Amino acid sequence: MAMAADKPFTLLDRCPPSFEKTAQGVCKLHTRYDQYDSIQGVGVGGLTSSLPARRDGFTPEQIDLGRYLFFDPLLSVDSTHSCASCHQPDKGLSDGLARSVGVSGEEIPRSAPTLWNTAFLTSFFWDARAKTLEEQMLGPLYDAKEMGNNPVQLLASLNANQQYRSMFKQAYPAASDDITLDQIYTALTAFQTSLISLNSRYDQYAHGYHQALNQREIEGLNIFRSFVARCAECHQPPLFTNQQIAVIGTPEPEGMPLDIGAEKTYNAPKLKGGFKVPTLRNIEKTAPYMHSGRFDNLRDTVEFYTKGRGHAVPEGVEMNLHWHIWEPNLQDHELDLLVDFLKTLTDESFMPPVPKDVPSGLTPITHTVQTTTMINHSNSAPGKGE
């Protein structure tokens, strides 16, 4: 067991950037998109589309407590991994791996999605099996291949730490002295909903500053929104996802079995190989791409969509491919323009600071721990954290 840090920790009493502290003492998000009242999803990606409902209303102290928990390896079974091991600040809040690696040292079958703008999402995991952030976090916390912990040990570790007991009291002043699971889940949720990315060069262009994009990037945006490419049909601005399940027939990495995806979640054969449409926010930071990291660069990723409907579906497998997946026959220069545009979606101006110290006294972990455990692709099954 690690020794607790010596210095006292005082949680911030101010809200993160873009949040207003209300008279009730909670943080309310404000964005430039609040000025629009158009219905998200109409057309193929209007520049002034409104955002969907979001989660906010947490106190500054709850958000800041979640930040410390997020980076503290005390939350894993052996104190070797933190939440930030798979959601690293320098990798777009993903981990740069095709498939993430947890305490077991094994690759899990799916990649770690970015956490930017999770406040707006209505389902979680690639197969959409969780409907809230609180439900989602049970996967990585307790899955044997990820953080490997269990509720009993998690509570024991935090309650044995006087620093955390004091911090939880700051965040939940009306609660009892003992830390509870709901308090942990709420704090981690509060922190994740503060991760807002809505001020990229694209956003500046959308709000009227047209010099924010150069000519190639504007041409790429026009291709993205066109009825030929249809990218914006699924990756709808301003979130750049429609939050739906799409069956696109992306290939698995060599040696890996077919991942049936959302078919299992909904017990629906028509969703075989279906996965949530991911956000494209900060996409240049989150390679490799697709649910299992099949493509290691954006150029190959966008080219997949123009190689022919169903070209990568395994022989003998029937998939009900999404109707947007067709054959736009984009030229090489058009694919290059698309990549240029996608890079304008980068905005990490509200990246929260990594704590220099965490209450456990352990070193805050913001990277993937390398292990020597052998990986067996053929027997892999989706873990709870993907």
Side-chain angles (χ1 to χ4, degrees):
M1 177 67 67
M3 298 295 293
D6 293 332
K7 70 171 187 177
F9 286 78
T10 301
L11 297 176
L12 295 175
D13 61 0
R14 64 180 184 273
C15 296
S18 201
F19 287 81
E20 172 197 10
K21 189 174 181 180
T22 68
Q24 292 73 38
V26 299
C27 300
K28 179 178 176 59
L29 177 65
H30 294 284
T31 82
R32 289 175 179 167
Y33 286 99
D34 294 343
Q35 66 186 304
Y36 310 130
D37 58 7
S38 60
I39 300 174
Q40 188 202 31
V42 173
V44 287
L47 299 184
T48 57
S49 297
S50 61
L51 286 161
R54 79 288 305 265
R55 288 194 67 179
D56 54 15
F58 301 98
T59 67
E61 292 83 1
Q62 290 167 349
I63 294 171
D64 202 34
L65 173 59
R67 180 174 68 96
Y68 281 102
L69 291 169
F70 187 84
F71 290 100
D72 199 331
L74 185 66
L75 271 63
S76 66
V77 68
D78 58 0
S79 297
T80 62
H81 286 66
S82 69
C83 301
S85 296
C86 292
H87 301 286
Q88 301 168 25
D90 64 340
K91 294 183 174 64
L93 295 178
S94 184
D95 60 10
L97 299 176
R99 274 91 57 206
S100 297
V101 176
V103 295
S104 69
E106 300 174 74
E107 282 183 337
I108 56 180
R110 296 176 188 157
S111 63
T114 182
L115 297 182
W116 285 114
N117 295 332
T118 55
F120 299 96
L121 301 185
T122 55
S123 64
F124 303 88
F125 296 112
W126 279 100
D127 56 11
R129 66 184 181 276
K131 301 306 177 186
T132 67
L133 278 167
E134 291 88 343
E135 180 185 359
Q136 179 275 333
M137 70 183 62
L138 303 183
L141 279 173
Y142 303 138
D143 186 83
K145 291 184 177 181
E146 297 192 51
M147 297 179 77
N149 215 332
N150 61 78
V152 173
Q153 177 173 324
L154 179 59
L155 282 177
S157 299
L158 292 175
N159 276 300
N161 185 294
Q162 291 305 311
Q163 297 279 20
Y164 269 124
R165 290 179 74 93
S166 172
M167 294 166 74
F168 271 81
K169 197 63 178 175
Q170 295 173 51
Y172 306 99
S176 63
D177 290 338
D178 287 341
I179 297 169
T180 68
L181 290 173
D182 284 344
Q183 291 171 346
I184 299 168
Y185 304 153
T186 297
L188 285 168
T189 295
F191 172 66
Q192 291 180 72
T193 58
S194 75
L195 302 172
I196 303 299
S197 178
L198 293 169
N199 193 32
S200 66
R201 289 194 295 118
Y202 160 80
D203 297 295
Q204 295 166 24
Y205 179 88
H207 296 312
Y209 179 56
H210 290 179
Q211 290 74 25
L213 302 186
N214 63 37
Q215 187 59 38
R216 285 184 58 86
E217 292 162 345
I218 293 172
E219 290 177 16
L221 168 61
N222 291 335
I223 294 169
F224 184 88
R225 296 181 59 207
S226 70
F227 281 104
V228 176
R230 294 183 177 268
C231 307
E233 295 276 3
C234 291
H235 296 285
Q236 294 172 354
L239 282 188
F240 287 87
T241 172
N242 61 5
Q243 306 206 53
Q244 297 177 9
I245 300 294
V247 181
I248 66 173
T250 182
E252 301 289 354
E254 186 175 352
M256 288 191 66
L258 176 68
D259 188 336
I260 65 171
E263 176 183 5
K264 181 177 180 180
T265 301
Y266 296 97
N267 191 26
K270 68 179 181 179
L271 294 180
K272 182 187 298 293
F275 297 95
K276 271 186 55 180
V277 175
T279 180
L280 300 182
R281 292 280 178 174
N282 293 307
I283 192 69
E284 72 169 318
K285 299 280 189 173
T286 58
Y289 305 106
M290 302 298 191
H291 68 277
S292 55
R294 179 61 177 82
F295 301 116
D296 62 9
N297 63 83
L298 279 173
R299 182 57 165 72
D300 289 347
T301 305
V302 297
E303 186 181 35
F304 162 80
Y305 292 94
T306 197
K307 281 190 170 181
R309 180 178 172 86
H311 71 275
V313 175
E315 186 176 351
V317 175
E318 293 187 8
M319 283 189 182
N320 186 22
L321 294 175
H322 196 287
W323 68 276
H324 291 160
I325 302 300
W326 66 311
E327 298 182 10
N329 296 320
L330 298 179
Q331 302 300 305
D332 284 345
H333 77 279
E334 292 174 311
L335 296 175
D336 293 337
L337 291 171
L338 273 176
V339 172
D340 287 349
F341 166 67
L342 291 175
K343 292 180 179 180
T344 72
L345 301 177
T346 301
D347 166 41
E348 299 179 311
S349 54
F350 289 168
M351 180 73 76
V354 177
K356 294 181 179 179
D357 301 291
V358 288
S360 65
L362 297 164
T363 300
I365 292 180
T366 59
H367 61 279
T368 300
V369 177
Q370 298 297 317
T371 68
T372 57
T373 301
M374 295 299 292
I375 298 168
N376 187 338
H377 290 271
S378 61
N379 294 326
S380 297
K384 295 180 180 177
E386 303 85 78

